[in-house]
Amino acid sequence: MYLTVCRSVSATARLHAHIKHSMAYSAKIGPSILSSDLSCLGSECVRMMECGADYLHLDVMDGHFVPNITFGHPMVECLRKSVGQDPFFDMHMMVSRPEQWVKPMAAAGASQYTFHLESTTNPGNLIKEIRESRMKVGLAIKPGTTVEELAPWANQIDMALVMTVEPGFGGQKFMDDMMSKVSWLRSQFPSLDIEVDGGVGPDTIHKCAEAGANMIVSGSAVIGSDDPRSVIALLRTAVAEAIQKRSLDR
């Protein structure tokens, strides 16, 4: 009897260890602060964290890679001083020369440097530079870029970002057909953090979660809500439930 119980407990422990190893990602919600009141960005960031955000998504646009211009490392440095060391800053670098801003962003307090595959001719070297600057590495692709082009780098990065709108503008309609990219990445790289960005909110979260996304960028749906805490909780629950289902299906 004792031996049977021990074997049962051991088998359960092995199963849990297998699930933990093969599903080494969790639900994370990152409000896109560009949707907030830019005149009080520091307090808006604090408000989002207090409402349950797991990280903050900061869109950097240079007017070349995308038509719009937002902010650079001086703003990031000010935000870091304002909000403290704890919040995780995911820098979405929509810039033509991402190599130029690695060290300034690291010095300013960026946590993760997410660059676009389309913006560089040497992703491997850029990944190395980001790592040497002690930031995590994110790699993003536009809707027109195939996921197979990202695949060779997937084992060298911390996160893949699948854009679900064309980068550079807010308020666009969510592109359902990008979910096949997310599904393919999840099947090929089971433990990779996969982020989606663009038109994601309560109406589209289930498609993202079922496809395998676990890092959710949401702008106006969260920040523009009368109850951001509830929206963040809803998004996280949808993703967490999908992760749990996927682990059981395995």
Side-chain angles (χ1 to χ4, degrees):
M1 174 69 175
Y2 176 75
L3 184 60
T4 303
V5 170
C6 284
R7 281 176 176 168
S8 176
V9 170
S10 178
T12 302
R14 285 198 301 272
L15 175 61
H16 286 168
H18 170 72
I19 290 173
K20 185 176 180 181
H21 176 72
S22 59
M23 309 294 290
Y25 60 95
S26 59
K28 300 170 190 169
I29 312 302
S32 177
I33 66 163
L34 197 59
S35 298
S36 64
D37 182 349
L38 299 181
S39 69
C40 47
L41 207 46
S43 59
E44 283 285 84
C45 288
V46 170
R47 182 171 73 97
M48 287 300 105
M49 297 305 296
E50 289 176 346
C51 285
D54 299 287
Y55 67 103
L56 298 170
H57 184 84
L58 287 73
D59 288 315
V60 176
M61 308 180 193
D62 66 353
H64 294 280
F65 184 72
V66 292
N68 279 341
I69 295 174
T70 55
F71 49 79
H73 60 277
M75 175 72 83
V76 177
E77 184 177 4
C78 290
L79 278 179
R80 179 57 78 196
K81 290 177 181 176
S82 175
V83 304
Q85 294 304 308
D86 287 341
F88 187 93
F89 286 179
D90 171 30
M91 308 305 307
H92 183 189
M93 303 299 296
M94 288 173 271
V95 298
S96 293
R97 292 186 291 166
E99 298 84 358
Q100 181 179 354
W101 307 110
V102 173
K103 290 181 180 178
M105 281 297 178
S111 310
Q112 177 167 283
Y113 196 92
T114 302
F115 68 95
H116 269 265
L117 183 60
E118 305 89 356
S119 68
T120 181
T121 57
N122 195 340
N125 190 58
L126 184 49
I127 289 168
K128 183 172 177 286
E129 287 183 25
I130 296 167
R131 291 242 181 266
E132 288 175 350
S133 297
R134 299 185 178 182
M135 293 182 289
K136 287 194 170 186
V137 181
L139 182 55
I141 52 173
K142 290 181 177 182
T145 302
T146 67
V147 72
E148 288 81 6
E149 293 175 69
L150 182 149
W153 311 104
N155 287 320
Q156 299 181 40
I157 62 178
D158 297 293
M159 185 199 80
L161 166 54
V162 175
M163 292 298 300
T164 46
V165 297
E166 288 294 338
F169 298 96
Q172 297 178 65
K173 186 180 178 184
F174 177 84
M175 296 180 176
D176 294 74
D177 53 345
M178 295 299 108
M179 293 302 95
S180 61
K181 295 182 182 181
V182 175
S183 297
W184 188 88
L185 278 173
R186 181 56 67 210
S187 67
Q188 298 298 310
F189 307 98
S191 63
L192 182 66
D193 276 330
I194 302 173
E195 185 177 64
V196 286
D197 178 11
V200 182
D203 295 337
T204 52
I205 186 59
H206 291 285
K207 294 176 183 177
C208 300
E210 288 166 11
N214 68 296
M215 292 185 69
I216 308 299
V217 176
S218 187
S220 54
V222 170
I223 295 175
S225 167
D226 292 333
D227 188 2
R229 184 183 300 276
S230 294
V231 178
I232 289 172
L234 183 155
L235 298 177
R236 185 184 292 106
T237 298
V239 175
E241 288 178 351
I243 292 173
Q244 182 179 30
K245 182 178 185 298
R246 196 170 294 108
S247 70
L248 294 173
D249 288 346
R250 292 170 72 92

